[in-house]
């Protein structure tokens, strides 16, 4: 059952967070749905611009529709990740996406508001939720001064004004995390005080945490032992997911960790089976491992075990 992110956030706000997981191919799609069904969690399928052009945007759509039939118990939103204005309109008109992200965070404040507002109007006319972004995620260099670091983070007062003026349904905030496998260089950390300040100004409003992969040490070790080169990789401490959820974070984005599972499984398999050239045996291992990984993340997010109550609430 495809629902909007807004509907999911009404269920989880302040209690737990829902995983925003990116997909690009059939194996990820199967693993994702299996993992969420096995752990009984509602979830958000995220599709980036890069994913839409990897095979074809219609291919991903068809795979998700098929997964919805294969797993009729699933409750999920279909969300465009980091969209520009044109891609948002394409997804809104497609009749398939239930949620889009307009990422105009690189633009000056007033322009970000103007673009976001236009997308909100078009999306809301079709019952589609909109996530926007304010602040600069990542790109924060090592050992910069406290003032410089603060300038990249979301300003809570601006966030409240932005939400009020755009009418967006959720806001991605820059609180110190960054995309990819190399996070938190130097003295950087998650700025819970920014989340707290935003929650005080806009209580009940859903926030989103991007760049939330945990980059497990063990995974990196195994990848490197099997020929990889990921020295110095590090991520978010996953025990911080639930405290963030209590402060209004409703979606926690995890993509890099899934890529690490893929890399570890494939590197180890081809190291240990140099004679094999059939991709199906390893594809099966990946789907199993990815499903296990998703279930383990849902436990940490607090979304595991919530599927029945969410379905009951949203089926009314
Ligand atoms: O935030 C970006 C996501 O991890 C998606 O990455 O644009 O390479 O598909 P991508
Ligand atoms: P990670 O790179 O930490 O997985 O973040 C993914 C993300 O924010 C997708 O929008
Ligand atoms: Zn992101």
């Amino acid at each position: 059952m495809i629902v909007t992110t807004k509907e999911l956030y009404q269920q989880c706000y302040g209690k737990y967070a829902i995983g925003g997981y990116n997909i690009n191919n059939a194996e990820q799609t199967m693993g994702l749905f299996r993992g969420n069904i096995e752990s009984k969690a509602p979830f958000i399928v995220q599709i980036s611009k890069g994913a839409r052009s990897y095979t074809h945007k219609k291919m991903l759509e068809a795979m998700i529709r098929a997964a919805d039939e294969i797993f009729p118990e699933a409750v999920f939103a279909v969300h465009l990740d980091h969209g520009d204005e044109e891609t948002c309109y394409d997804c809104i008109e497609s009749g398939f996406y239930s949620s889009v992200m307009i990422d105009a965070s690189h633009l000056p404040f007033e322009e970000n508001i103007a673009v976001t507002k236009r997308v909100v109007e078009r999306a809301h006319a079709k019952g589609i939720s909109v996530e926007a972004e304010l602040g600069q995620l990542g790109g924060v260099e090592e050992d910069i001064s406290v003032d410089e670091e603060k300038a990249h983070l979301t300003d809570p007062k601006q966030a409240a004004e932005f939400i009020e003026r755009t009418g967006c349904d959720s806001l991605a905030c820059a609180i110190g995390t960054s995309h990819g496998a190399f996070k938190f260089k130097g003295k950087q950390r998650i700025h819970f005080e920014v989340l707290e300040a935003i929650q005080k100004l806009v209580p009940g409003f859903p926030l989103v945490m991007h760049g939330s992969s945990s980059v497990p040490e063990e995974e990196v070790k195994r990848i490197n032992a099997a020929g990889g080169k990921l020295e110095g990789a590090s991520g978010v401490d996953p025990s911080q997911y639930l405290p963030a959820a209590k402060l209004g974070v409703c979606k926690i984005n995890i993509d890099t960790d899934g890529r690490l599972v893929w890399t570890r499984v494939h590197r180890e398999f081809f190291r240990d089976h140099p004679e094999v050239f059939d991709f199906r045996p390893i594809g099966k291992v990946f789907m199993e491992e990815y499903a296990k990984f998703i279930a383990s993340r849902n436990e940490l997010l607090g979304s595991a075990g919530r599927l029945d109550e969410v379905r009951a609430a949203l089926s009314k």
Side-chain angles (χ1 to χ4, degrees):
M1 177 166 80
I2 298 177
V3 299
T4 64
T5 44
K6 185 175 177 175
E7 289 172 301
L8 290 177
Y9 300 158
Q10 281 164 354
Q11 301 303 313
C12 71
Y13 185 91
K15 293 185 277 186
Y16 61 94
I18 297 182
Y21 300 111
N22 293 60
I23 58 150
N24 295 268
N25 62 19
E27 289 80 2
Q28 274 183 313
T29 309
M30 275 310 272
L32 179 64
F33 275 75
R34 272 190 202 157
N36 284 299
I37 294 306
E38 278 162 22
S39 59
K40 290 193 152 286
F43 61 106
I44 296 163
V45 183
Q46 306 211 119
I47 303 174
S48 70
K49 270 182 77 178
R52 280 162 59 87
S53 61
Y54 172 53
T55 48
H56 192 282
K57 61 185 183 183
K58 287 278 167 198
M59 189 70 87
L60 284 179
E61 190 178 319
M63 286 191 307
I64 296 167
R65 284 193 200 280
D68 192 23
E69 278 184 38
I70 298 165
F71 301 94
E73 345 58 311
V75 177
F76 60 100
V78 180
H79 176 76
L80 168 68
D81 190 26
H82 292 286
D84 53 27
E85 193 172 2
E86 191 192 338
T87 312
C88 281
Y89 295 151
D90 193 55
C91 293
I92 291 165
E93 299 311 322
S94 76
F96 178 59
Y97 288 71
S98 62
S99 179
V100 293
M101 175 187 190
I102 171 69
D103 182 355
S105 57
H106 54 287
L107 296 176
F109 187 62
E110 287 298 331
E111 284 176 53
N112 188 354
I113 287 184
V115 174
T116 302
K117 227 174 137 188
R118 287 199 292 272
V119 172
V120 166
E121 270 162 30
R122 291 266 288 265
H124 283 184
K126 297 208 171 215
I128 295 166
S129 310
V130 178
E131 174 183 331
E133 179 166 329
L134 186 65
Q136 269 179 284
L137 207 80
V140 184
E141 301 301 323
E142 192 170 356
D143 294 331
I144 60 170
S145 71
V146 174
D147 282 352
E148 278 175 298
E149 189 180 7
K150 227 176 157 191
H152 291 86
L153 301 177
T154 304
D155 176 297
K157 278 200 193 114
Q158 274 197 340
E161 183 185 341
F162 184 91
I163 292 162
E164 164 77 31
R165 287 176 60 194
T166 61
C168 65
D169 302 293
S170 62
L171 186 69
C173 302
I175 53 166
T177 62
S178 59
H179 292 117
F182 298 88
K183 309 185 200 294
F184 301 119
K185 293 191 178 136
K187 301 185 287 291
Q188 293 163 36
R189 61 185 175 89
I190 293 192
H191 289 261
F192 282 100
E193 78 284 0
V194 173
L195 285 177
E196 249 172 76
I198 297 174
Q199 195 188 37
K200 253 192 204 135
L201 291 172
V202 280
F205 188 82
L207 306 177
V208 174
M209 196 162 96
H210 282 247
S212 307
S213 278
S214 64
V215 190
E217 225 178 283
E218 182 58 22
E219 203 74 300
V220 173
K221 242 191 227 164
R222 285 175 70 176
I223 290 170
N224 288 342
K229 263 192 173 208
L230 294 178
E231 277 81 15
S234 68
V236 171
D237 174 354
S239 71
Q240 299 194 321
Y241 293 161
L242 263 183
K246 308 277 179 211
L247 294 173
V249 171
C250 291
K251 171 158 75 81
I252 292 196
N253 283 7
I254 299 173
D255 182 19
T256 294
D257 281 346
R259 297 180 187 201
L260 293 176
V261 173
W262 187 94
T263 305
R264 181 253 302 166
V265 161
H266 286 79
R267 278 200 178 278
E268 289 186 346
F269 184 83
F270 288 114
R271 177 196 60 192
D272 299 340
H273 304 277
E275 72 291 355
V276 173
F277 56 90
D278 184 352
F279 49 78
R280 289 167 299 192
I282 186 54
K284 281 188 175 170
V285 176
F286 170 71
M287 287 187 270
E288 274 166 30
E289 289 293 297
Y290 192 49
K292 262 197 257 168
F293 166 77
I294 293 290
S296 73
R297 296 297 103 168
N298 291 340
E299 293 292 339
L300 295 161
L301 297 169
S303 62
R306 305 282 186 164
L307 184 57
D308 292 343
E309 69 188 50
V310 168
R311 191 188 309 98
L314 298 185
S315 303
K316 278 176 199 159

